[in-house]
Amino acid sequence: MRPGTRRDLLKGVGALGAVGATGLAGCLGNDDDDPPTDDDPADDDPADDDPADDDAAPTDETITIGALQPVSGDLQYYGESSLMGFYSGIAYKYGVGPDEVGDLTTGTYEFDPDDGPTYEIVLQDTELSVDTAQRVAEDLVVDHDADILWGGTLSESARRIIGTVVAEANIPYVVGPAADADITSSADHCHERVFRTSEHTAMDARAGGRFVAEETDVSTVAIFYLDDAFGRSVANNWEAVLEAEGIEVLEPRGVDSGFTEFEGLYDEAVEDGADGVVGGFTAIQLPAFLSTGFAYDVQLFGGFADLLSTQLIGDTIVEGLGEDFTAEDIREAGLGPFTSRYHWNQFDNPTNDAFTEMMVDTYGMVPDLFTSGTFAAGSAIVQAVEESGSVDADDVAATLRGMSIDDTPKGDGGYAFRESDNQAVSDMTVAWPEPTADEFAETWPTVLMPGEPIATMSGDEIVVPEDEMTCDLS
């Protein structure tokens, strides 16, 4: 289905009032709508048979990327750091700075490299609202002629966009950093036009849960989580992994977005025998969850926090451990170890070095939690354009299927899409927190930073096995 058809369809259904893809068989996988191939007699020009044969990015065409992130509100930093990574991934491919690709505020940006097509990026604010995210996605397709959508921080928003805009318009959508595992592993949400480079909650759980079971003395774990798509995914995946590893898991406890009084939950968990606690929260509630946990004789596990979350708990850490706290103090307090989807000091390779330098030079900070996955998204789109020799969305999407992404902060080929679910597989690490080193005091302005990795979990170990998914795109 070509872009014009997508836009006409969206206009015809009128703001996508109905969720789903009923009556859209022609848009959702009908071979008659696929672009001509070498074996398609409908292709009148043999010279244009297979764009992949050209293996060179067109230089006189434009590809429009509709970017949607929260760039206002409580989690504005999530959207901004995701954009930093995405712009850096595109910029790295052309040897320029990320500020030449786009800005962190809403608007339309054109990046016109000498040896590639023009990248038009239209950035709109989702305001961390599901309804706004859907409206923005529709607007990007209908009014801005987007060829590809990228973004989505709130998992509920990504799921809504998949079930409405993608299902109706069949537009390729690269999700990130939304981390609900079901987006790519469940048949309810996965889609042949939906790709994700960003790491997700099941990868967190499979890396962290195995480490807890194999390398610690923890025997009983309590799980607290925010009762939304992201939090439920954290709880479900940690519970499944820990129980499979022989760890007792108490009944997970979900809370609403305004909940901050965790003492009662910790009291109950300790009374029921918990010696480990996992939390599934964003920066809004994570500080209260962690700071309350310091007062209890439990080990706190989960994913390494982003800069914003770590800054918010900084005063509590200093208050509890003293201004001159040490790495040993952190361990004795039961804070960690944590899994890291990515931080700047967890991977050692030339691309990561260059990425770190780009981030410091442009934004004054080292790369953060979400930035590697979104860097990989930008890098993947450029690679797909170059390998297909086309800016056509259908050609780009076809090239992304099963592609190993050459240039990533986790190394060459550090992310690779599985054809079964379009989820990129990548390694993750486990590390203890430690006091922020003086050399990073300005570029990681908070009291804690990830230490040296104590374990690296391969992508094949931590991705959801195909026989445990209901999604099957192969």
Side-chain angles (χ1 to χ4, degrees):
M1 179 174 288
R2 299 297 178 177
T5 311
R6 296 186 183 107
R7 292 189 292 274
D8 293 343
L9 178 58
L10 282 174
K11 291 176 181 177
V13 299
L16 293 173
V19 175
T22 55
L24 293 174
C27 295
L28 298 177
N30 186 330
D31 290 340
D32 292 341
D33 288 314
D34 289 340
T37 66
D38 286 343
D39 299 323
D40 190 346
D43 183 1
D44 294 329
D45 186 356
D48 295 329
D49 279 348
D50 187 352
D53 292 339
D54 297 336
D55 198 23
T59 57
D60 57 352
E61 298 184 53
T62 297
I63 182 168
T64 299
I65 301 171
L68 47 139
Q69 292 289 358
V71 290
S72 64
D74 291 338
L75 295 183
Q76 175 179 345
Y77 174 72
Y78 281 20
E80 290 177 342
S81 64
S82 297
L83 286 161
M84 293 174 190
F86 185 68
Y87 293 154
S88 295
I90 295 173
Y92 180 83
K93 300 291 285 187
Y94 292 104
V96 301
D99 52 339
E100 295 189 38
V101 178
D103 203 351
L104 305 180
T105 56
T106 57
T108 298
Y109 306 99
E110 284 195 358
F111 170 54
D112 188 13
D114 293 336
D115 53 347
T118 297
Y119 292 85
E120 181 184 62
I121 299 175
V122 184
L123 171 61
Q124 294 203 16
D125 186 6
T126 65
E127 302 172 350
L128 210 70
S129 160
V130 177
D131 290 338
T132 301
Q134 178 183 337
R135 176 181 57 76
V136 162
E138 294 168 6
D139 181 65
L140 288 168
V141 175
V142 174
D143 294 331
H144 293 278
D145 296 347
D147 300 299
I148 296 175
L149 296 177
W150 167 77
T153 289
L154 194 65
S155 292
E156 296 278 10
S157 296
R159 287 164 52 159
R160 171 78 71 81
I161 290 168
I162 293 167
T164 56
V165 179
V166 175
E168 298 286 354
N170 212 32
I171 186 170
Y173 177 26
V174 183
V175 177
D180 172 21
D182 282 353
I183 288 171
T184 47
S185 65
S186 170
D188 292 336
H189 306 293
C190 76
H191 190 284
E192 63 185 3
R193 290 301 184 98
V194 173
F195 302 84
R196 179 165 55 183
T197 50
S198 295
E199 302 82 354
H200 58 66
T201 55
M203 298 167 75
D204 288 336
R206 293 177 68 84
R210 288 181 177 180
F211 187 89
V212 169
E214 296 173 3
E215 303 294 337
T216 76
D217 296 327
V218 170
S219 60
T220 303
V221 171
I223 300 175
F224 308 148
Y225 65 95
L226 175 62
D227 193 12
D228 68 355
F230 164 73
R232 290 189 293 272
S233 185
V234 171
N236 293 339
N237 282 286
W238 273 90
E239 181 180 24
V241 171
L242 289 170
E243 288 184 341
E245 294 290 334
I247 302 293
E248 179 185 3
V249 179
L250 304 179
E251 183 70 25
R253 298 290 300 274
V255 303
D256 62 35
S257 59
F259 186 90
T260 57
E261 302 298 326
F262 285 94
E263 290 88 349
L265 292 181
Y266 275 102
D267 286 338
E268 283 186 35
V270 171
E271 288 174 6
D272 290 339
D275 52 358
V277 177
V278 170
F281 301 102
T282 66
I284 296 173
Q285 288 170 294
L286 190 60
F289 162 74
L290 289 176
S291 59
T292 303
F294 288 159
Y296 293 83
D297 186 19
V298 294
Q299 200 82 21
L300 297 170
F301 297 105
F304 242 112
D306 58 277
L307 175 63
L308 175 62
S309 301
T310 309
Q311 287 176 327
L312 292 173
I313 66 172
D315 290 343
T316 302
I317 293 169
V318 172
E319 181 180 345
L321 303 180
E323 291 186 0
D324 297 323
F325 70 90
T326 65
E328 186 61 29
D329 293 333
I330 295 171
R331 297 189 186 198
E332 291 179 356
L335 187 61
F338 298 122
T339 58
S340 171
R341 298 178 191 174
Y342 166 83
H343 284 84
W344 80 97
N345 62 350
Q346 299 297 293
F347 294 88
D348 183 12
N349 60 76
T351 303
N352 193 50
D353 292 343
F355 178 36
T356 301
E357 184 177 351
M358 291 168 69
M359 286 284 293
V360 171
D361 289 347
T362 305
Y363 305 113
M365 61 178 288
V366 292
D368 200 355
L369 178 69
F370 301 137
T371 57
S372 179
T374 59
F375 179 110
S379 179
I381 291 172
V382 174
Q383 182 177 331
V385 168
E386 291 177 342
E387 290 188 1
S388 67
S390 172
V391 297
D392 182 88
D394 296 325
D395 296 334
V396 172
T399 306
L400 288 173
R401 286 296 302 277
M403 186 176 78
S404 175
I405 306 172
D406 292 339
D407 300 310
T408 85
K410 294 185 181 181
D412 296 346
Y415 290 76
F417 290 112
R418 295 197 304 182
E419 292 191 8
S420 57
D421 59 356
N422 289 343
Q423 172 65 49
V425 178
S426 69
D427 297 349
M428 288 174 52
T429 63
V430 179
W432 285 96
E434 62 181 34
T436 299
D438 291 343
E439 65 179 301
F440 299 116
E442 293 186 2
T443 56
W444 183 258
T446 186
V447 296
L448 281 184
M449 60 178 267
E452 289 290 321
I454 57 176
T456 298
M457 306 291 193
S458 76
D460 290 337
E461 288 182 277
I462 61 177
V463 75
V464 180
E466 293 181 5
D467 60 2
E468 294 181 18
M469 302 189 310
T470 56
C471 176
D472 184 6
L473 303 175
S474 58

